[in-house]
Amino acid sequence: SLQQFEAWLSGVESDHIEFKEAANHFSDSDLADYVSAFANEGGGRLVLGVRENKHHGQKKYVVCGTSVYKDTWNELSQKILHNQGINADIQELIHPHGRILIFHIPSHSPARPVTSKGKYYMRAGESLVQMDTQKLKQILNEADPDFSAQSVDGLAIEALDDGAIRILRNFCSQK
């Protein structure tokens, strides 16, 4: 809604929302990179048609409007799903100061990071960078079973090592 959008504008960019001016141009390549980054970091919103104004050292976001994907915006969800396997929801919002496109990008599927041109992206501040190996490993390990959550039939407390139990209790109390 327009009211929700105004609330976003009055906030700040975060890990889950990014404003881009994109008044007349936003490449398919850049869009794919942002879809990859947002999906790999838990999902978020990419908003086209908003620019950053610095006023007295503070950032403020204002609607400038966008003409990108003017006649094809409703086809982008299918294109993103086909190319990247992400079912993004895209909204066109007609704001009093211009047309806005909002890309609602969901998180990646468990253990399946999203690529763009064969690369895995994430955000670093206001930039996109290739995902580091630690983040990639974290996503890939999401499907590994949690062996500590599995029960063992017939196991009794007497079968456990007293020293190991003390170590575990100490570790848990420190945490």
Side-chain angles (χ1 to χ4, degrees):
S1 72
L2 193 56
Q3 191 175 24
Q4 177 62 54
F5 177 73
E6 291 294 337
W8 295 341
L9 274 182
S10 64
V12 295
E13 285 183 319
S14 69
D15 291 343
H16 299 287
I17 192 161
E18 175 87 23
F19 299 117
K20 291 292 179 191
E21 185 169 345
N24 299 307
H25 180 74
F26 197 77
S27 72
D28 288 348
S29 176
D30 287 344
L31 178 58
D33 293 351
Y34 274 97
V35 167
S36 172
F38 273 114
N40 289 333
E41 295 184 290
R45 292 177 185 88
L46 174 64
V47 182
L48 304 183
V50 175
R51 86 169 162 260
E52 180 182 306
N53 266 359
K54 289 192 178 173
H55 186 66
H56 300 294
Q58 290 189 319
K59 288 183 182 181
K60 182 179 178 186
Y61 300 99
V62 295
V63 173
C64 60
T66 182
S67 63
V68 298
Y69 305 116
K70 185 86 170 155
D71 299 320
T72 60
W73 73 269
N74 57 351
E75 300 168 6
L76 290 172
S77 288
Q78 178 63 29
K79 187 176 183 179
I80 292 168
L81 182 60
H82 180 269
N83 291 339
Q84 293 180 280
I86 290 292
N87 193 11
D89 180 33
I90 302 159
Q91 291 178 283
E92 181 181 53
L93 178 66
I94 305 304
H95 187 275
H97 298 292
R99 175 180 168 267
I100 305 298
L101 278 182
I102 305 169
F103 294 79
H104 301 272
I105 303 163
S107 183
H108 63 86
S109 297
R112 304 194 87 191
V114 177
T115 65
S116 174
K117 302 175 294 284
K119 297 177 182 174
Y120 302 102
Y121 285 96
M122 63 186 219
R123 296 169 67 220
E126 294 187 16
S127 302
L128 295 181
V129 296
Q130 278 192 299
M131 189 177 292
D132 58 41
T133 54
Q134 181 179 355
K135 178 72 174 170
L136 182 58
K137 185 176 180 182
Q138 178 185 0
I139 292 173
L140 294 172
N141 286 337
E142 290 172 346
D144 286 349
D146 180 1
F147 294 106
S148 67
Q150 297 177 2
S151 62
V152 178
D153 291 335
L155 180 66
I157 192 76
E158 296 79 28
L160 300 177
D161 180 69
D162 288 337
I165 292 173
R166 273 194 306 279
I167 291 170
L168 178 62
R169 283 185 179 151
N170 186 36
F171 176 74
C172 289
S173 68
Q174 289 176 6
K175 196 168 187 179

